[in-house]
Amino acid sequence: MKYTHSLAAILCGSLLFTGLGHAATAPQIKLRKQTGYIETLIDLTPEGVKLEAAYTAMLESLREDLKKQIPVIDDAKKAALMASLQAELGSQKELAGLDKSLRNSRVREDQYNSLVEKLRSTPGWITEAEKKLKAAQALPDSDPKKAKAVEQATKNLENLNKNLIKLPNDVAKAKAAFDNAAADQAALMKSLEAANQASAKVKAETKKLLGTFGVEPLLSSDQLDAKLIKFVVLKEGQPRFLAQYAQQSPEKKKRLDDLLADTALMREMLLADGAHWGKYGEAMDIYHAIQQASTKAKEGVLHRLAIAVCLEHAVPMASRPRDGVIVMIDPIKRYLSMEKAYLAGEYEPAFKDFSIWELRMVCDGDEPDEAYDWAREMMRTYRPDLIALDFNDLRYTQVVDAEIQYTSAFVPEDKPELLFMQNVLANGGICGRRAFFGRFVLKAFGIPAIERPEPGHATLAQWTPDGWMTILGGDWGGRARVDYYGSDMHFVLAAQARENATEFVKVKRAQWIGQVMNEPVIFGMRDEKNPPQFWYALAAAVQDGIADGKKPHVKNPFKKPAPTQEASAAERAVTVDGSGVITIPAVATKIPADNVAFAAWGSHPAVIFMPSHLGGMQLHYSRYGGSQVLEYTLEAPKAGKYELISRMASSRWDMSFLVSANGSAPVSLAIPYKMGLWETSKPIVIDLKAGTNVLTFARPEDMRKGVAIKDFTLKPIP
């Protein structure tokens, strides 16, 4: 039988797993998560039977040879190590709890200040709501929209008045909580200091115990590396499946033989956690094809990227369906697409320094390559301010809270002809869709990101210069999981230890020896029902020692909104050319006095000025903007009718502004839709008088998404 692709598994979202993990023994079926890829046993040819026997003999010969050189540790010492590591785990959990309590106490001030700002702004919002209610009540009874407008305005006013009554008490409670937290901090600090001392003592005992095993010279030396590395590749690849690959052609057999003779390349692969499901032959096919396709893939970050792609895509991946069509991701095109983006300077500057392991978490996205190209252009067009943030303010990923509505109500409006992520931007979503979008945008800019599901909840984690940070979920160390690693703490401790590449090799050597000893692959002590055996426990102890003193990076629970910037007089200047065409920069208006909109996860500015990738400035009218009115004053050279157009970028297709000139009846201006990219609106006709005119752009109540605006153009109609 040949490889097959289970489309039903993708379409139904139902994924069955058999024989997962590097410790699996000759599974008959493998299914890679989110790809629908199924591998089944292929009948071996006579040559394949010989190859399987040869690979098996090679594997067992290496095992016997290595066992002779690996020290035997008695059971009492093994038990002592497990007891010491359990004690460490207890102290780590106590420290994490105290640290979290201390951080929670420190956010009380932010909560208090947020409510104070809300109390200050609410009277102004009530005044605006009263005006809207009067305007709605003044509509003629014949207007079919009057009843709904009055109902909405009344409800909004009632809610604001209720909040105003409630807010002083909320502020008082928040102030009391802040005062109490400040008082508790001294006690928490004292408890934290004591817990740190106790933790240091337990870790010292573990370190002392490690010294009695006599394994430090073994883990520090590369003496056994050639044999260990070859053994692990054969074991993970499994002789049956390696033979299945090699029997296909002399070229494939040679490719696998070349790998087994190349200790340096195998070492790079294993340090990055190896090929998916041990598909080293298929990985070599991809690696060879990339080397043929690009002369730049032979050194530096692009060589590391080539290895990352070949490891990550050794098992085929399917992209998300578009218009009902599922396409397998071409790993060569994936590499070339990423190479092009990197050379064009479109990735985060840190990309050039990422390891193969980190690059695997960039190249593994399940969107088509064109989607990542779109994401970068969309962010540069629609929300360049979020690119300009620093990572502590959730650079790139603040787009999730800023733009992805937390609702599934509009998901049925997804358009099949759009990319999946374009639909998420337009229609929002809960949990999974928001986490998917966050990971997607990070990968689009070359930032490593992973799934980190919690029970009943989708979250993610991302690389930052200060360490890996969790997003949309709880802190590290809860019940979240990371694929391949198990507990999320196993992953983050590995990430921290990997920062010291020289020392981290010791961790991998202990794990490789664990494979020689047929231990199950378990990366730490956090999976309490499945504790590791000795060599993997030893690897965890060495890893924790390398990462000692490093704390997982923690996101700011009160994220700073993207700051609005001042526009210079030149950037605000309205111009008139020789033909009487008037150009109005979008920033030639005033930032509203009350420019704060509140959402469940913090405050957001309603109107933002920001530098534009087109040059000059642009304006963003936030989806939290309510009914703010943009007002522009201009001088028209002559009276008459003018054709009004605007350069805009919107995230949804059914939005409009109400445009009024000098208080006249408003005209609807349809906001163009090009998936968050710049597009020129269809013209509308506006009457201007000679001299000074005032144009207003009002947002309808039901406009639930944001829009970026570069400028407006008024062209006289002959």
Side-chain angles (χ1 to χ4, degrees):
M1 296 177 64
K2 298 293 184 183
Y3 297 163
T4 59
H5 306 289
S6 171
L7 304 188
I10 304 171
L11 297 175
C12 299
S14 174
L15 299 174
L16 304 175
F17 289 78
T18 303
L20 295 188
H22 289 269
T25 56
Q28 290 199 349
I29 297 177
K30 292 180 180 180
L31 177 60
R32 182 172 176 187
K33 189 177 182 183
Q34 291 187 349
T35 69
Y37 171 81
I38 293 178
E39 179 192 61
T40 58
L41 287 172
I42 297 172
D43 291 336
L44 293 181
T45 64
E47 176 64 17
V49 172
K50 292 179 182 178
L51 288 168
E52 181 184 17
Y55 295 142
T56 301
M58 196 183 304
L59 179 70
E60 292 309 319
S61 175
L62 285 166
R63 187 196 303 273
E64 291 307 311
D65 190 10
L66 286 164
K67 279 186 173 181
K68 294 174 184 177
Q69 301 178 70
I70 295 170
V72 176
I73 310 298
D74 66 53
D75 291 341
K77 286 186 176 181
K78 289 179 180 179
L81 176 63
M82 296 302 294
S84 188
L85 289 176
Q86 289 288 359
E88 271 198 44
L89 179 61
S91 68
Q92 288 165 4
K93 288 183 176 179
E94 181 184 5
L95 276 171
L98 288 168
D99 185 63
K100 185 174 182 180
S101 296
L102 185 61
R103 285 188 288 107
N104 286 342
S105 75
R106 287 171 174 165
V107 303
R108 301 301 183 193
E109 183 176 7
D110 292 319
Q111 294 171 329
Y112 167 64
N113 289 334
S114 178
L115 285 168
V116 168
E117 174 62 23
K118 205 168 188 176
L119 180 60
R120 184 195 69 78
S121 301
T122 299
W125 296 344
I126 289 174
T127 300
E128 290 298 316
E130 289 171 342
K131 290 179 182 178
K132 287 182 185 177
L133 178 58
K134 288 180 181 179
Q137 291 170 335
L139 291 171
D141 293 338
S142 58
D143 190 332
K145 296 182 180 179
K146 178 176 181 178
K148 185 177 179 180
V150 170
E151 180 185 359
Q152 287 181 337
T154 301
K155 185 177 180 180
N156 187 40
L157 182 59
E158 288 175 350
N159 288 338
L160 286 169
N161 278 312
K162 286 179 182 177
N163 284 340
L164 187 60
I165 294 170
K166 182 173 174 287
L167 273 169
N169 187 50
D170 290 345
V171 169
K173 286 182 178 179
K175 179 65 165 60
F178 168 46
D179 291 340
N180 290 336
D184 290 343
Q185 282 181 20
L188 280 170
M189 289 291 289
K190 188 174 181 179
S191 297
L192 193 62
E193 182 180 357
N196 271 313
Q197 291 174 353
S199 177
K201 184 177 180 181
V202 173
K203 287 180 179 180
E205 289 297 320
T206 301
K207 187 175 181 180
K208 182 179 178 181
L209 182 61
L210 290 177
T212 69
F213 295 142
V215 297
E216 174 61 25
L218 178 65
L219 299 183
S220 299
S221 170
D222 63 359
Q223 181 180 355
L224 295 183
D225 278 8
K227 292 178 181 179
L228 275 173
I229 286 166
K230 189 173 183 178
F231 172 86
V232 173
V233 168
L234 286 166
K235 186 174 188 295
E236 291 183 352
Q238 302 176 46
R240 178 65 169 79
F241 286 104
L242 293 174
Q244 191 170 286
Y245 166 82
Q247 74 177 8
Q248 296 178 56
S249 70
E251 182 184 28
K252 288 184 181 293
K253 179 181 180 302
K254 182 179 184 306
R255 203 163 283 162
L256 188 54
D257 289 344
D258 288 345
L259 175 64
L260 292 173
D262 191 340
T263 300
L265 181 56
M266 288 190 292
R267 187 177 190 273
E268 294 269 40
M269 290 179 168
L270 292 185
L271 287 174
D273 289 343
H276 256 302
W277 310 136
K279 307 306 291 180
Y280 287 97
E282 289 77 2
M284 285 300 291
D285 285 343
I286 297 169
Y287 179 74
H288 177 76
I290 290 174
Q291 297 300 315
Q292 293 294 311
S294 172
T295 59
K296 297 181 175 64
K298 293 177 171 54
E299 59 184 10
V301 65
L302 293 178
H303 184 243
R304 297 197 298 275
L305 177 62
I307 298 174
V309 170
C310 85
L311 296 175
E312 197 60 35
H313 292 264
V315 174
M317 293 183 67
S319 65
R320 289 185 189 275
R322 183 180 184 184
D323 205 6
V325 177
I326 297 171
V327 178
M328 302 308 293
I329 294 170
D330 184 328
I332 317 307
K333 291 181 179 177
R334 171 59 53 89
Y335 168 83
L336 292 172
S337 174
M338 295 183 68
E339 177 187 276
K340 181 180 178 182
Y342 168 69
L343 294 175
E346 295 183 352
Y347 281 163
E348 169 66 26
F351 182 87
K352 70 181 186 303
D353 299 317
F354 286 145
S355 67
I356 297 169
W357 183 75
E358 289 164 328
L359 290 168
R360 291 187 69 162
M361 292 171 274
V362 181
C363 72
D364 66 339
D366 54 3
E367 304 301 325
D369 297 325
E370 63 181 295
Y372 297 102
D373 296 339
W374 164 77
R376 290 190 297 275
E377 187 178 0
M378 179 273 294
M379 289 288 285
R380 290 193 298 265
T381 299
Y382 182 63
R383 292 308 303 259
D385 57 319
L386 302 184
I387 297 174
L389 295 174
D390 66 36
F391 280 98
N392 284 323
D393 297 322
L394 299 190
R395 185 177 190 182
Y396 306 114
T397 43
Q398 197 179 117
V399 70
V400 174
D401 282 346
E403 295 296 334
I404 311 301
Q405 291 171 287
Y406 194 93
T407 176
S408 58
F410 307 109
V411 172
E413 298 178 25
D414 282 1
K415 294 181 180 292
E417 68 271 18
L418 294 180
L419 294 165
F420 174 74
M421 293 302 175
Q422 291 169 345
N423 276 313
V424 175
L425 179 62
N427 296 317
I430 62 173
C431 195
R433 281 170 61 115
R434 286 164 57 86
F436 299 159
F437 196 86
R439 287 202 312 274
F440 163 69
V441 169
L442 288 163
K443 292 177 191 293
F445 284 92
I447 300 299
I450 59 168
E451 296 180 52
R452 181 182 163 271
E454 297 174 348
H457 185 50
T459 77
L460 67 103
Q462 70 165 88
W463 174 94
T464 79
D466 296 318
W468 280 78
M469 179 168 62
T470 66
I471 308 291
L472 304 177
D475 290 343
W476 295 103
R479 292 191 294 161
R481 311 291 290 176
V482 173
D483 191 29
Y484 181 72
Y485 283 89
S487 166
D488 67 344
M489 282 303 296
H490 295 170
F491 171 86
V492 76
L493 286 167
Q496 290 171 338
R498 282 175 180 274
E499 293 176 20
N500 188 335
T502 302
E503 288 294 299
F504 183 73
V505 178
K506 297 178 183 178
V507 177
K508 298 306 288 187
R509 286 188 183 120
Q511 292 173 357
W512 298 338
I513 293 171
Q515 295 224 39
V516 172
M517 299 301 181
N518 266 332
E519 292 185 1
V521 177
I522 298 171
F523 291 103
M525 302 295 295
R526 297 283 175 149
D527 292 328
E528 295 176 7
K529 293 182 180 179
N530 297 294
Q533 293 181 17
F534 175 74
W535 285 99
Y536 270 91
L538 180 68
V542 173
Q543 177 173 273
D544 291 2
I546 300 169
D548 189 24
K550 297 178 181 177
K551 292 183 179 180
H553 189 35
V554 179
K555 63 181 178 291
N556 178 3
F558 280 80
K559 298 177 284 291
K560 300 175 187 176
T564 190
Q565 298 192 21
E566 293 293 330
S568 67
E571 290 165 335
R572 296 166 54 88
V574 178
T575 61
V576 182
D577 70 11
S579 301
V581 176
I582 306 168
T583 301
I584 310 170
V587 295
T589 186
K590 293 180 179 179
I591 292 289
D594 274 323
N595 194 36
V596 180
F598 288 91
W601 38 78
S603 60
H604 297 262
V607 177
I608 314 168
F609 293 172
M610 64 190 72
S612 174
H613 275 250
L614 294 178
M617 300 285 285
Q618 68 187 55
L619 176 148
H620 188 84
Y621 200 137
S622 167
R623 72 184 181 95
Y624 298 106
S627 58
Q628 301 281 12
V629 175
L630 304 178
E631 183 177 290
Y632 298 89
T633 301
L634 62 130
E635 298 293 323
K638 63 178 182 178
K641 295 186 181 298
Y642 285 74
E643 190 177 80
L644 171 66
I645 58 173
S646 176
R647 278 190 293 179
M648 301 184 188
S650 67
S651 58
R652 192 173 161 85
W653 49 80
D654 55 358
M655 302 191 296
S656 61
F657 276 121
L658 295 175
V659 184
S660 177
N662 303 313
S664 63
V667 179
S668 179
L669 172 67
I671 296 174
Y673 175 65
K674 194 179 177 183
M675 294 81 72
L677 307 182
W678 292 120
E679 185 67 297
T680 301
S681 65
K682 293 182 179 179
I684 61 172
V685 177
I686 296 291
D687 284 309
L688 297 181
K689 61 185 180 181
T692 303
N693 293 263
V694 176
L695 280 182
T696 58
F697 294 80
R699 173 183 177 129
E701 287 289 339
D702 59 353
M703 180 174 155
R704 68 174 196 268
K705 295 293 290 184
V707 60
I709 312 171
K710 178 59 177 167
D711 51 32
F712 304 97
T713 302
L714 290 154
K715 180 180 178 180
I717 300 175

